[in-house]
Each structure stands twice: as structure tokens, then as C-alpha cells.
Amino acid sequence: MLNQHKPFLKTLSGKKQDKPPFWFMRQAGRYLPEYRALRAEKGGFLAMAFDPKAACEITMQPIRRFEMDAAIIFSDILTIPMALGQHLEFVAGEGPKLGELNISKLKYDDDILQPVYEALSKTSAQLKAENYTNTALIGFSGAPWTVATYMIEGGSSKDFMKTKLFAYQQPDLFDELIEILTNSTAQYLIKQVEAGAETLQIFDSWAGALDAESFEKYSIEPIKKIISQVREKYPDIPIIGFPKGAGTGLIKFAKQTGITAIGLDSQTHPQWAAQNLQSLMPVQGNLDPMMLMAGGEKMQKAAALIMENFASKPYIFNLGHGIHKDTPIAHVEKLVETLRG
Ligand code: CP3
């Protein structure tokens, strides 16, 4: 396979590296002054995400500072509701706000996502141009359940009450929404690979809100379908699943979805994960982002302990969730130093 020299891709193919390859969720973003500067110039998050040149530049920013083993394309999981025709805006300080949802009117328009594909191909070329030949390019999407929560709640939520009541009280209509999301997401990910993504991550950030039965129905099943559609086209594409909050459900998720590697949140005990998950596939994770924000010796010890737990099998270092915007850059530098040994 081409690019097999990249430590990140090697790890995903099951070959353990002496030093774990690393990247950080939300590695591009507001904790970087160069990001804040471009954001002020462009006027907002969506304006940047849909400007291929800006999106490429922002994807490169953390790589230039820290030389992570992977660059994740600067975009968002909420591009899919947009492509389905649901209005999306980001209100400063409040997060995403989505327009009214009318499931019977949803229609996937792939043209809307063209700037994401263009950003990927630009970034793929830019990584080469700047000689980051060891850095892999990650494409991504949200999982149907997580994206459905935003579409039904109209934004972020703490208890997902509307979404759960919808799923429990109108299961047929909810199934319809999940199916629409499953098929459009599969198409979206296939196009991302075509545009230059070397691996994919599927974020099921709110999987932890589901009870055991619903977790199988709304997290595992749709992701399994997405992966089988993507693999029909690209049989060898490595796919990382990140079912945040899944707890012991991680085992079933790892065994049944068809993922190549599993992303772990910070609540998952590394020792448990080494025994129960790393025995099945490469794992990725899972330093608490707040530990990174706190910094100091405690952070370095926490990172070292995670590395020690996962050292004997293929492993990618990451956080358990995205970098917080108030994280000091010096702490990220220190963490990277620790990772490089
Ligand atoms: O990781 C990366 O560096 C790549 C880019 C990326 C973003 N969002 C950029 C972003 C990725 C992979 C995402 C995924 C995403 N988006 C998820 C799944 C991962 C997770 O965090 O659980 C979710 C749930 C979203 C939805 C979303 N996007 C919310 C709730 C918000 C507002 C909250 C916030 O942090 O302000 C966003 C906006 C967003 N997406 C920002 C970034 C950098 C902040 C934009 C800004 O204000 O500049």
C-alpha cells in the first residue's frame, strides 16, 4: 500500500511503532493565535470551513507547530445537515443553531460539500509541498446518531431529551432519519477518500447517551452500514470509530462495526482497554483534555501512564476529546516533548 511508511498508517495496519504516533482531536482551533487571526479576517467558522484555501491553511497550522503524525481536515460534522438542506449557523458563544427539521423534505445535495473535498485535495498537496511526508491526512464525519441529535435538538444538548423521545415515540420516522444520514454519510466519506483522505474517523460523540439496546440500533448498526458502503469502494481504507461514552459497549462496537481502530474517551480505563480492546485492534486515546489544560508534572505523568499501558501493542496517542480553546500552547509543546521521549 502506498504511503505505508507513515507511522500513523502503519499503526492502523497493526504494526506497533517504538514511539506512538500522535494527533489531537480539535488540534486546529481557537487555542492557536494564528487560527484566531484568520477567523477574525474571514468572519466566522463556517466561512472558513467552506473556503478550501482557508480550511487547508487551518489544517496545516498545528502541523507546522507540532508536526503531528496526522492532520485532520478542518471541517465539521454538521456539514451533512447542511447538505441535506437544514439551515445551520454558529452563534458566537452559543455554538451551532440549526433550522427547522422536516424529514420528508431532506434531500442530499453533494455539491454543497464540494469545498470540503477541495480542501482535502489542497491539504494533501500542501503536506507534500511543505515536506510533511510522515503526516497522514484524516477525513471525518459524525455518526448518524450524533448528527441526528443536533438536527432534532436544533443545537447542542445536555440530556438529548427531544431526540430520545423522538426515537422512542416515533421509531419509524426516526429510523427514516437515521437511514438518510447513513447513506449520505457513506457517500460523503467515499468522496473524501477520493479527494485524498488516507484514513477516516467517525465521531459518535454522544453515543454515551444511549441505553444498551438503542446503542446497538442507533450507533453500531448505522456505522456498520456506513463502513460496509465505504469498503465496497475502498476495501483497504482504515477507519477509526470514536463512540464517546460507550463504556463496556466499546467491545461490541469494536467487534461488530468493521472499524480498524477504536478511539477512547478519558473515562475509559487504559488497563481495561489494553486487555479488552487492544487485544482486538489498535486503540487511540485518551488523555483528559483538562489534564492538558492543567499542564505540569501531573499531565506528563498521566500521559506517560497511558503510554505505558498501551506500549505492548499498536497504539495512537490522542486526547479523550477535543482540545479546549483555553489550553496554553506551552502545555501542548510539553506534551509533544513527552511523547517524543
Ligand atoms: O479536530 C479538528 O481539528 C478538526 C476539525 C473539527 C471541528 N469540529 C472544528 C470545529 C472536528 C473533527 C469537529 C467535529 C465535531 N463538531 C464534533 C465531534 C467531535 C466532538 O467534539 O465531539 C461535534 C460534536 C461538532 C459540532 C460542533 N462544532 C459544535 C458543538 C461546535 C461549537 C462548540 C465550540 O467548540 O465552539 C462546533 C464548532 C467548531 N467546530 C469549532 C471548531 C474549531 C469552533 C469554531 C470557532 O468558534 O472558531
Side-chain angles (χ1 to χ4, degrees):
M1 200 177 145
L2 201 72
N3 288 329
Q4 201 60 305
H5 68 280
K6 299 187 180 184
F8 183 84
L9 298 178
K10 274 191 185 165
T11 305
L12 288 177
S13 76
K15 294 186 194 79
K16 182 176 90 76
Q17 306 297 293
D18 290 340
K19 296 255 181 300
F22 67 92
W23 67 285
F24 308 126
M25 289 187 272
R26 284 279 172 97
Q27 63 191 21
R30 287 165 293 186
Y31 76 107
L32 294 174
E34 58 271 36
Y35 172 87
R36 296 194 298 268
L38 194 59
R39 188 173 183 262
E41 187 191 313
K42 294 281 172 185
F45 169 68
L46 280 179
M48 296 190 298
F50 282 89
D51 174 341
K53 216 175 134 215
C56 167
E57 176 62 20
I58 294 164
T59 306
M60 295 300 299
Q61 284 175 348
I63 307 302
R64 292 181 189 131
R65 272 184 189 265
F66 308 112
E67 290 197 41
M68 287 92 171
D69 293 282
I72 184 162
I73 194 65
F74 183 77
S75 182
D76 201 83
I77 64 165
L78 301 178
T79 52
I80 285 286
M82 284 176 83
L84 288 168
Q86 192 176 18
H87 180 75
L88 170 69
E89 60 188 303
F90 281 86
V91 181
E94 282 183 52
K97 293 274 171 269
L98 290 90
E100 203 185 318
L101 173 63
N102 188 336
I103 294 175
S104 65
K105 289 214 174 114
L106 296 175
K107 198 173 177 311
Y108 182 65
D109 179 1
D110 190 64
D111 284 347
I112 290 176
L113 301 169
Q114 212 53 49
V116 179
Y117 310 137
E118 213 177 302
L120 275 160
S121 52
K122 264 190 194 309
T123 307
S124 174
Q126 196 62 27
L127 284 166
K128 288 188 193 91
E130 295 185 33
N131 226 9
Y132 293 109
T133 49
N134 275 337
T135 302
L137 182 55
I138 307 175
F140 73 91
S141 75
W145 161 254
T146 289
V147 175
T149 69
Y150 287 96
M151 295 177 81
I152 292 169
E153 307 284 338
S156 300
S157 170
K158 284 205 162 66
D159 57 13
F160 308 99
M161 185 164 66
K162 276 193 197 170
T163 316
K164 288 173 140 188
L165 290 179
F166 194 121
Y168 297 157
Q169 292 176 333
Q170 302 178 74
D172 292 345
L173 193 54
F174 191 72
D175 282 352
E176 206 179 300
L177 176 60
I178 291 290
E179 193 179 323
I180 291 168
L181 287 168
T182 299
N183 295 330
S184 48
T185 301
Q187 225 186 301
Y188 182 43
L189 291 173
I190 287 168
K191 295 288 278 279
Q192 291 189 47
V193 178
E194 252 164 48
E198 295 166 292
T199 173
L200 301 167
Q201 176 153 320
I202 300 175
F203 289 85
D204 213 350
S205 301
W206 312 127
L210 292 163
D211 65 53
E213 191 192 329
S214 309
F215 176 66
E216 289 190 34
K217 192 158 188 270
Y218 300 130
S219 177
I220 292 180
E221 282 306 316
I223 291 173
K224 182 178 171 186
K225 282 186 196 153
I226 291 171
I227 292 177
S228 93
Q229 286 187 44
V230 173
R231 293 254 171 82
E232 256 172 52
K233 199 86 198 270
Y234 295 105
D236 298 324
I237 188 80
I239 302 174
I240 304 165
F242 177 53
K244 186 173 169 285
T248 52
L250 284 160
I251 297 174
K252 231 175 199 169
F253 187 96
K255 287 185 174 164
Q256 295 184 356
T257 51
I259 50 168
T260 312
I262 192 151
L264 308 174
D265 57 39
S266 307
Q267 286 70 40
T268 307
H269 199 298
Q271 215 175 337
W272 179 87
Q275 275 167 17
N276 293 285
L277 298 168
Q278 208 181 12
S279 49
L280 304 171
M281 58 179 56
V283 298
Q284 171 179 284
N286 66 344
L287 183 71
D288 184 353
M290 293 301 152
M291 197 63 94
L292 177 60
M293 198 165 154
E297 209 173 298
K298 196 166 167 69
M299 169 196 70
Q300 283 170 261
K301 278 200 179 136
L305 189 61
I306 291 170
M307 286 197 276
E308 201 180 296
N309 265 291
F310 292 129
S312 67
K313 290 203 174 74
Y315 160 57
I316 294 156
F317 189 94
N318 204 317
L319 306 176
H321 203 192
I323 296 188
H324 190 278
K325 67 179 171 52
D326 298 324
T327 304
I329 291 173
H331 296 185
V332 182
E333 280 165 359
K334 198 74 203 172
L335 175 59
V336 169
E337 230 174 76
T338 306
L339 295 173
R340 294 227 168 88

